[in-house]
Amino acid sequence: MTRFRTMALALAVAVVASTSARADDKPVTNKNDAVSVNPLSLIFGLISGNYEHKLKPDASITGAVNYWSLSFADYSWTAIGVGAGYRMYFKPVAPDGWYWEPRVDLESVSEKVDYTALGYGSATGSAFFFGPGVMIGRQWVWEGGFLIDLAIGASYTIGSLDVSVGPYTQSVSLSGFGPSGKFSLGYAW
């Protein structure tokens, strides 16, 4: 719960600081490319980065990569993902303004739990997920290039999970709707 409160407080401070620092709200439209990272995800061991390239005054393409690895005691987890989207701004002010973004994400996950000490061997699992979705957000860009990007959305995840325990293997199909969100700090040029 403490991590959640810390993240919520950091997000609130970022929103208040960004809106008060940009009181004139004059869009910065002379930037064509941007890179950003999510500093809050590092709390959970997730490294994520984003790239945006302006195609025209009201649209851009985006790309994302992430890597997540956790390991403790007899448990290990690794996830690698990529994503792409087409960001459409409500006004011709890209990359500074309100937008909506249809996107698709791909994720590969593997995990291992070692039960050797209990006499059971180890359990391994691997999964691959495909997730089309949509986000709506606001990106603030300052003349110096600093940017803040906040967004919320939803995606429909489709995938399969394969689990092996000793000589036994089980495959399960998974799918469903889920929320998504974004908080990134970065630089535009």
Side-chain angles (χ1 to χ4, degrees):
M1 189 60 134
T2 303
R3 285 185 179 173
F4 177 76
R5 288 181 186 159
T6 303
M7 287 179 17
L9 179 61
L11 185 60
V13 168
V15 170
V16 170
S18 65
T19 55
S20 63
R22 291 274 317 268
D24 63 348
D25 206 30
K26 183 178 177 185
V28 175
T29 59
N30 63 345
K31 312 292 185 192
N32 291 321
D33 296 285
V35 292
S36 61
V37 296
N38 181 345
L40 297 179
S41 65
L42 293 173
I43 295 170
F44 303 104
L46 173 65
I47 299 169
S48 63
N50 304 290
Y51 174 74
E52 178 180 5
H53 175 72
K54 181 165 73 171
L55 298 174
K56 53 187 184 173
D58 63 349
S60 64
I61 55 172
T62 63
V65 295
N66 63 58
Y67 176 78
W68 190 9
S69 181
L70 294 173
S71 181
F72 55 89
D74 295 331
Y75 177 80
S76 62
W77 158 285
T78 302
I80 299 170
V82 295
Y86 185 76
R87 188 175 284 186
M88 292 167 274
Y89 287 83
F90 292 112
K91 294 182 180 179
V93 295
D96 186 356
W98 288 96
Y99 64 84
W100 73 283
E101 178 182 352
R103 60 177 300 108
V104 64
D105 296 295
L106 303 171
E107 192 88 24
S108 175
V109 180
S110 64
E111 69 178 318
K112 182 178 181 180
V113 181
D114 189 358
Y115 294 114
T116 307
L118 300 174
Y120 298 116
S122 62
T124 59
S126 63
F128 183 79
F129 298 104
F130 167 77
V134 66
M135 297 189 86
I136 185 166
R138 173 68 163 101
Q139 183 164 268
W140 293 268
V141 179
W142 281 258
E143 197 59 48
F146 176 73
L147 72 83
I148 295 176
D149 189 4
L150 297 172
I152 59 170
S155 64
Y156 186 77
T157 302
I158 304 161
S160 65
L161 171 65
D162 299 318
V163 179
S164 297
V165 179
Y168 306 104
T169 301
Q170 180 71 41
S171 294
V172 179
S173 294
L174 304 169
S175 63
F177 280 99
S180 59
K182 181 178 188 179
F183 168 70
S184 293
L185 302 176
Y187 180 75
W189 67 95

